[in-house]
Amino acid sequence: MGEESKVVQVQLSYTQTDEEAGEPEVCRVVAMGKRSWLWWVRISVFSALVLSGQASATLLGRLYFQEGGHSKWLETLVQIIGFPILLPYFFFVDPKMRVPTDDDNVRDGEQLSLYGRMMFFLVSGVILAAGSMLFSVGLLYLPVSTFSLISASQLAFTAIFAYFLNSQKFTALTINSIVVLTVSSILLVIQPNSASSNATNPISSEKYAAGFVCTLLASAGCALLFNIAQLYFQKVRDRTPIAAIFEYVIYESAIATAIVLVGLFASGEWRMLRQEMELFGLGKLSYVMTLTWTAITWQVCTIGVGGLIYEVSSVFTNVISALGLPIVPVLAMVFFHDRMDGVKAISMVLAIWGFLSYVYQQYLDENCAK
């Protein structure tokens, strides 16, 4: 590519100027450059994959439980078992073929050894398995709109982990975003009659609380997973971008799948799957199609997440994920008859406020860079 199409990453650091001059802190631009149109195309495609995959997979997961599905292990399995659809890529493309990317000049890093890669895959696979199980419990016990809004806390967790793992800087707007998203989630667990907010399948207060805690922990685990992936991509530069993303997704998903399969058979839930299919409210074919498309849509979302983390950062990825926040609750009202009461509406507004607060901070950073 020509020099004009190269991306030079903008690194912002806040430094104290000469104390004797009494000047305030200023934004120091280390390097500047222009994003190529191909970079914007990739970001747009990855963002579309995240938004469409996330909304579809969440609704299909809730459909499985609402129509008679009971296996938390099976619902967990379909979140991660879709990785084999990526394998054909490696039969047609050499994953070690090096294709320059827009930001090669600034993102070259120390290469990982085989042992280092395996440790990343192992840790990520364990966290993915645990987080997927926690999300399954949340989907089982919570209305899908409530589940989606609680999941918005993932942005706050991502910012916190990014501070420790990837040197993310906190500002007043970033802190505001974290606080508002936290309050948004807390409102959902303390609202009156929250356990009965799903008109078609009321649950007990104890199960509602368990679903809330599991969803919150799953959001924290997913945030940690995003930051681990960012660390990995920063250190892996001997692969094409798409090969690095696919390799990471395949290995972590394979490890997580193995863990979940052990849990499925050890729990004995596999014995009930045939009966579950027979009794599924929409029929056998719909049972199979629901699980199949849940696996595919989660994989679509995962590819988009990996792409955004590789191209930008874990925090930006979560911002895009939060952008789809209003979609799921609205669709849940249409398809699952979830009630959108006053407290839940306020929680949604606060979640959107938290999201916009973070976006505005990014806007200020971009202006500072210019």
Side-chain angles (χ1 to χ4, degrees), residues 189-343:
V189 79
I190 64 175
Q191 65 170 314
N193 301 320
S194 58
S196 61
S197 58
N198 185 356
T200 63
N201 187 26
I203 60 174
S204 67
S205 299
E206 292 76 12
K207 289 183 177 179
Y208 184 92
F212 175 87
V213 172
C214 287
T215 304
L216 199 63
L217 291 175
S219 298
C222 191
L224 178 59
L225 198 63
F226 281 12
N227 280 280
I228 291 175
Q230 182 176 338
L231 278 177
Y232 175 81
F233 291 140
Q234 287 172 351
K235 295 179 178 295
V236 176
R237 310 305 302 167
D238 59 346
R239 296 286 192 276
T240 60
I242 195 66
I245 296 166
F246 280 16
E247 178 186 67
Y248 184 83
V249 170
I250 287 172
Y251 280 106
E252 75 161 354
S253 298
I255 292 172
T257 298
I259 294 172
V260 173
L261 282 173
V262 171
L264 176 63
F265 285 98
S267 67
E269 286 189 2
W270 65 276
R271 296 188 183 92
M272 302 183 297
L273 297 184
R274 180 178 293 275
Q275 180 184 11
E276 184 177 275
M277 182 172 64
E278 296 283 346
L279 299 177
F280 194 67
L282 299 178
K284 296 180 183 178
L285 179 60
S286 294
Y287 179 83
V288 175
M289 293 302 294
T290 298
L291 294 176
T292 300
W293 282 105
T294 301
I296 292 174
T297 51
W298 271 123
Q299 201 60 47
V300 167
C301 179
T302 301
I303 294 171
V305 165
L308 290 178
I309 293 174
Y310 186 97
E311 295 287 351
V312 191
S313 70
S314 59
V315 178
F316 179 82
T317 303
N318 241 307
V319 169
I320 295 299
S321 179
L323 183 61
L325 175 66
I327 298 175
V328 175
V330 172
L331 293 177
M333 286 191 297
V334 175
F335 295 108
F336 299 117
H337 309 293
D338 282 5
R339 294 206 323 243
M340 185 59 70
D341 54 26
V343 174

